[in-house]
Amino acid sequence: AAHVLQTRPVLEQYRDCGVDLLMGCEAEYDYAHRSVALTEAAAEQFDFIIASTTHTHNTMPKAFYHPPRRHAEFILQAWEDMLAAPVSRYFTAMAHPFHAVCCPYGHELPMAAITDDEYRRIFDMTAKRGIAVEINIKCLVGYHAERTDEILLQPHMRMFRIARDCGCRFTFGTDCHHPEKQRMIRFAPQIAALLELKEDDLHPLAR
């Protein structure tokens, strides 16, 4: 947290630029303690926090990759563990949900291993805690969001519809590691329309 917060003085220099600038971070799953690798004292210093359960290339024992169902079970358990942690009251949204990062096989395999009922249980818990679900455009369709047929075929769409029906609100992200990728955010209205999201379905930060 201290490393990330070094940028706060930079943001302060641009407070009057006409754009709302917020300080945020991405909280990681702590597998060893089945919790969150972020203290409440640190969390209080951020304007928003997204939480990740899917950096499994860093947090999950490699033996859990096979079969994909075991991988899916790890992500489901990580989500529950993070929501159960006291620091979760500071979470704004869950980042790139159920999309395993740097997976040695297609991310669709563990996603396909998760049942609708399991998604409902997880998203019911998430909605009750007032935590949003991130629609990550890069994970969903990358640079090809203009192709509606590709979007509709993605396994994320089943998941997002269930989250919507459970009462979850949504944010949008690009997983931007380079300024060029920020341009993908222009596809957010298209994806929202395909999911039939209304303004009330969006987290206040995404409206």
Side-chain angles (χ1 to χ4, degrees), residues 54-58 62 65 71 99-105 107:
T54 54
H55 292 139
T56 51
H57 61 306
N58 290 328
K62 297 299 182 282
Y65 273 126
H71 194 170
H99 184 111
V101 178
C102 298
C103 185
Y105 40 72
H107 61 267

Side-chain angles (χ1 to χ4, degrees), residues 53-123:
T53 64
T54 54
H55 292 139
T56 51
H57 61 306
N58 290 328
T59 61
M60 185 180 75
K62 297 299 182 282
F64 290 8
Y65 273 126
H66 301 284
R69 171 63 192 178
R70 183 68 188 90
H71 194 170
E73 289 172 350
F74 178 90
I75 297 173
L76 287 162
Q77 186 63 60
W79 193 298
E80 288 194 55
D81 290 344
M82 292 189 85
L83 290 189
V87 75
S88 67
R89 66 192 179 95
Y90 295 96
F91 291 173
T92 303
M94 302 301 289
H96 39 74
F98 295 97
H99 184 111
V101 178
C102 298
C103 185
Y105 40 72
H107 61 267
E108 67 276 3
L109 295 182
M111 293 182 81
I114 299 172
T115 67
D116 287 0
D117 284 344
E118 287 173 323
Y119 273 141
R120 289 189 191 97
R121 176 172 55 84
I122 287 293
F123 290 131

Side-chain angles (χ1 to χ4, degrees), residues 4-202:
V4 176
L5 287 166
Q6 291 181 81
T7 60
R8 185 177 288 280
V10 178
L11 293 185
E12 293 296 337
Q13 296 177 29
Y14 297 95
R15 283 297 181 190
D16 298 323
C17 70
V19 176
D20 290 334
L21 301 174
L22 303 177
M23 170 64 67
C25 74
E26 185 169 1
E28 188 59 85
Y29 178 53
D30 180 354
Y31 172 61
H33 300 94
R34 291 187 56 178
S35 187
V36 183
L38 182 69
T39 66
E40 291 189 74
E44 289 177 350
Q45 301 181 64
F46 292 98
D47 299 315
F48 71 93
I49 296 172
I50 58 175
S52 171
T53 64
T54 54
H55 292 139
T56 51
H57 61 306
N58 290 328
T59 61
M60 185 180 75
K62 297 299 182 282
F64 290 8
Y65 273 126
H66 301 284
R69 171 63 192 178
R70 183 68 188 90
H71 194 170
E73 289 172 350
F74 178 90
I75 297 173
L76 287 162
Q77 186 63 60
W79 193 298
E80 288 194 55
D81 290 344
M82 292 189 85
L83 290 189
V87 75
S88 67
R89 66 192 179 95
Y90 295 96
F91 291 173
T92 303
M94 302 301 289
H96 39 74
F98 295 97
H99 184 111
V101 178
C102 298
C103 185
Y105 40 72
H107 61 267
E108 67 276 3
L109 295 182
M111 293 182 81
I114 299 172
T115 67
D116 287 0
D117 284 344
E118 287 173 323
Y119 273 141
R120 289 189 191 97
R121 176 172 55 84
I122 287 293
F123 290 131
D124 278 341
M125 294 168 55
T126 306
K128 287 176 182 176
R129 286 165 173 75
I131 299 170
V133 174
E134 180 192 73
I135 297 174
N136 191 297
I137 297 172
K138 179 187 174 187
C139 289
L140 180 56
V141 283
Y143 292 97
H144 306 289
E146 68 276 4
R147 294 189 56 180
T148 298
D149 57 332
E150 284 196 12
I151 298 175
L152 294 173
L153 289 173
Q154 295 303 312
H156 307 70
M157 298 300 281
R158 170 176 71 102
M159 173 187 66
F160 289 139
R161 290 190 184 100
I162 293 172
R164 178 201 61 197
D165 293 345
C166 288
C168 289
R169 290 185 173 181
F170 296 90
T171 61
F172 289 91
T174 61
D175 213 18
C176 175
H177 291 202
H178 188 279
E180 178 69 21
K181 294 179 181 177
Q182 291 180 357
R183 297 182 180 181
M184 286 188 287
I185 202 66
R186 70 187 184 277
F187 297 120
Q190 177 187 359
I191 296 169
L194 290 173
L195 289 169
E196 300 181 335
L197 300 182
K198 310 301 182 187
E199 185 172 347
D200 287 346
D201 295 316
L202 304 180

